[in-house]
Amino acid sequence: MARIGIKQLAEQLNVDVSTVSRALRDDPRVKPETKALVRDLANKLEYRPNAAARALKGGRTGRVAVLLSPPQQRFASPVFLELLSTLDAYLRPQKMSLAVFAAHDWDEEIDIVRSVVDDHLADGIILGRTRQDDKRIRFLLDRDFPFVSFGQTLWPNEHSWVEIDYAEAGRIAISALASHKPDSLSVITASEGLRFADNFVKGALEEAERSGLNDVHIRREEMSEDQGEIVAKEELERDGRLAFACIQDSLAFGFFRGAAQQGRQVGSDIALFGGQNFPGSEHTAPPLSTFSTQDQKVADLLSNVMLKRLNSDGKFVPEHHTIAPIPMLRASHLLD
């Protein structure tokens, strides 16, 4: 016989999964008569909690999970490496540990989140690269599972989040590029639907309009050096004084290679602006103009909010933090 889970109990009782979970934990927020119904059905169907959860006192694992979204090429952003290091430093004094999960494609992410919750692999989870209608977060809210997201969603007041103001980042990049009066501007960003990428485009277009730039192109690309090189080869077939705003330095690094292969000079007849201030961005030739996302501050906030959520005893008030990007103006955004 297939193992009966909380979801099946909830379906038969026509209640939320979170209600069943709370009833089985004897949560005081659940009415006594509802608890009795849940327990009676659980006994009748021979429901048994996950073995890992049953073996732990109070059902706690002592672990916090971090879900890394694809693509995982040399870590898509240094902020995630900073987060892992910082979170581990916060957890160890509390005798807790870190569990890292990496999704290979977008569809795998929700399966990983379900597994963390249903198989009780961690007590809470941190996840990033949010979408507006994010099925991972909807699932976690339905299950009343502790989490904090790196980015907002359609339900900003229902959960804790930390977010970088990518609309401001877009404005920073375009303001710097527009000051040298390019003939054409291209905004190179991540997939449509990702909140940070959509916000970057929004801010960039606002600033382009304010600056009087009319020839503006938007490209949605994978954030990698290889893709940046491909973009450069395609875009630099056009003549004129061209400007490019990349949402991430990885794209800009590849763009440098592609420009060199085309015999074009960044910081002279091409203006280039990166994003997130990757290590090594100051050592390109010319040094890459970019913006800092204050990775240590982001990592500290995500770690602190997660631990407060785990220690809240049901009295947690969602926290919201927006981090302002900092311009790092060097030389690559200049035009002769």
Side-chain angles (χ1 to χ4, degrees):
M1 179 183 296
R3 179 175 164 228
I4 298 297
I6 288 179
K7 183 177 179 181
Q8 287 73 35
L9 294 178
E11 288 174 348
Q12 293 205 31
L13 292 169
N14 195 29
V15 298
D16 292 338
V17 169
S18 59
T19 299
V20 174
S21 177
R22 289 168 179 164
L24 292 171
R25 299 198 309 266
D26 198 27
D27 193 306
R29 290 175 289 181
V30 181
K31 295 178 181 178
E33 54 268 31
T34 302
K35 290 180 184 177
L37 288 172
V38 170
R39 289 169 180 164
D40 287 346
L41 183 61
N43 290 331
K44 179 182 177 181
L45 298 180
E46 297 182 349
Y47 164 79
R48 295 291 181 270
N50 178 270
R54 188 170 61 245
L56 291 164
K57 182 179 180 181
R60 298 292 291 266
T61 68
R63 289 190 296 272
V64 171
V66 175
L67 174 59
L68 300 178
S69 298
Q72 302 307 327
Q73 298 179 356
R74 305 181 188 176
F75 283 92
S77 171
V79 69
F80 293 112
L81 185 57
E82 191 74 57
L83 170 61
L84 297 181
S85 175
T86 300
L87 182 58
D88 179 64
Y90 274 84
L91 292 174
R92 279 186 281 111
Q94 300 197 37
K95 308 300 182 184
M96 299 180 70
S97 60
L98 177 63
V100 181
F101 298 86
H104 299 289
D105 56 62
W106 297 113
D107 291 335
E108 188 182 13
E109 287 193 286
I110 184 61
D111 294 332
I112 292 174
V113 172
R114 287 195 182 103
S115 180
V116 168
V117 176
D118 292 341
D119 296 332
H120 209 69
L121 302 178
D123 301 321
I125 186 169
I126 297 174
L127 64 163
R129 296 221 174 140
T130 57
R131 296 165 172 79
Q132 287 290 93
D133 188 6
D134 198 307
K135 57 186 178 181
R136 305 167 305 168
I137 289 177
R138 184 73 269 169
F139 173 82
L140 292 167
L141 287 170
D142 288 343
R143 291 297 186 90
D144 193 29
F145 190 81
F147 75 97
V148 56
S149 67
F150 188 17
Q152 293 189 52
T153 64
L154 283 175
W155 317 283
N157 297 321
E158 295 185 36
H159 64 90
S160 292
W161 48 262
V162 176
E163 181 170 83
I164 296 164
D165 187 349
Y166 266 93
E168 178 61 18
R171 288 188 284 268
I172 287 171
I174 304 311
S175 176
L177 293 168
S179 65
H180 294 271
K181 308 297 183 184
D183 299 323
S184 177
L185 169 69
S186 294
V187 179
I188 307 166
T189 185
S191 301
E192 189 170 5
L194 291 172
R195 180 177 169 85
F196 76 102
D198 292 346
N199 283 349
F200 185 77
V201 171
K202 177 176 180 290
L205 291 177
E206 289 173 352
E207 185 61 29
E209 182 178 8
R210 191 193 70 79
S211 300
L213 296 178
N214 298 316
D215 189 8
V216 181
H217 310 269
I218 306 297
R219 292 193 60 147
R220 300 280 188 164
E221 306 289 348
E222 177 186 300
M223 295 185 297
S224 69
E225 292 184 24
D226 288 344
Q227 196 60 37
E229 183 176 345
I230 291 170
V231 169
K233 291 177 181 178
E234 294 174 352
E235 291 287 328
L236 295 180
E237 291 181 356
R238 294 183 286 122
D239 294 325
R241 303 168 76 252
L242 307 180
F244 300 90
C246 299
I247 193 171
Q248 192 179 82
D249 286 351
S250 57
L251 284 162
F253 291 160
F255 201 98
F256 271 104
R257 291 203 305 264
Q261 292 165 13
Q262 298 288 98
R264 305 292 291 272
Q265 178 63 49
V266 173
S268 177
D269 60 330
I270 303 166
L272 180 65
F273 205 97
Q276 300 183 29
N277 195 34
F278 275 30
S281 60
E282 72 274 29
H283 299 305
T284 58
L288 181 62
S289 297
T290 184
F291 57 84
S292 168
T293 48
Q294 302 194 68
D295 296 346
Q296 183 61 61
K297 185 174 182 179
V298 170
D300 280 327
L301 282 169
L302 286 168
S303 300
N304 268 308
V305 173
M306 183 76 263
L307 289 178
K308 280 195 273 186
R309 175 67 176 89
L310 290 175
N311 296 323
S312 62
D313 295 326
K315 300 176 182 178
F316 183 75
V317 177
E319 290 191 36
H320 308 136
H321 301 275
T322 301
I323 308 301
I326 299 174
M328 311 287 288
L329 300 181
R330 294 170 179 144
S332 67
H333 71 285
L334 304 178
L335 276 173
D336 290 339

